[in-house]
Amino acid sequence: MKQLFFISHDTQTAVKAGRSVNGIPQIETGQVPAINAFLTLNHLKNILSVWDDDDDFEEVLDTYTFITIQDAENSIYSKDKLA
């Protein structure tokens, strides 16, 4: 099973977005807060999708900051802080 990530070269950030099920990309609903935080941070910047089987993916893991669900919950844009 391949995993789908979104990355931004502009901010050197990445987020796990989903996975491939029978060759069809699917966004994981549990990742939505992290994806929202990533999109907020990278608004109007170039965003690329990357599968974990890409040859250069290991280098991305070493150099990019991954935004997690915990990061999203602690951000000023979290659902609890906006309410």
Side-chain angles (χ1 to χ4, degrees), residues 2-75:
K2 298 190 303 184
Q3 294 182 26
L4 175 64
F5 295 84
F6 295 138
I7 65 170
S8 172
H9 294 302
D10 298 328
T11 60
Q12 297 284 304
T13 55
V15 66
K16 180 182 172 192
R19 57 192 167 100
S20 173
V21 177
N22 296 326
I24 300 169
Q26 294 184 347
I27 300 296
E28 294 178 355
T29 56
Q31 286 297 113
V32 170
I35 294 169
N36 285 342
F38 174 81
L39 294 174
T40 300
L41 176 65
N42 292 294
H43 178 70
L44 298 177
K45 295 182 175 56
N46 294 319
I47 296 173
L48 303 170
S49 59
V50 178
W51 292 100
D52 64 354
D53 65 343
D54 288 351
D55 293 338
D56 297 329
F57 190 74
E58 291 293 328
E59 294 175 21
V60 172
L61 284 176
D62 293 339
T63 60
Y64 281 56
T65 301
F66 276 78
I67 297 175
T68 64
I69 295 170
Q70 184 178 5
D71 295 332
E73 290 171 351
N74 292 332
S75 82

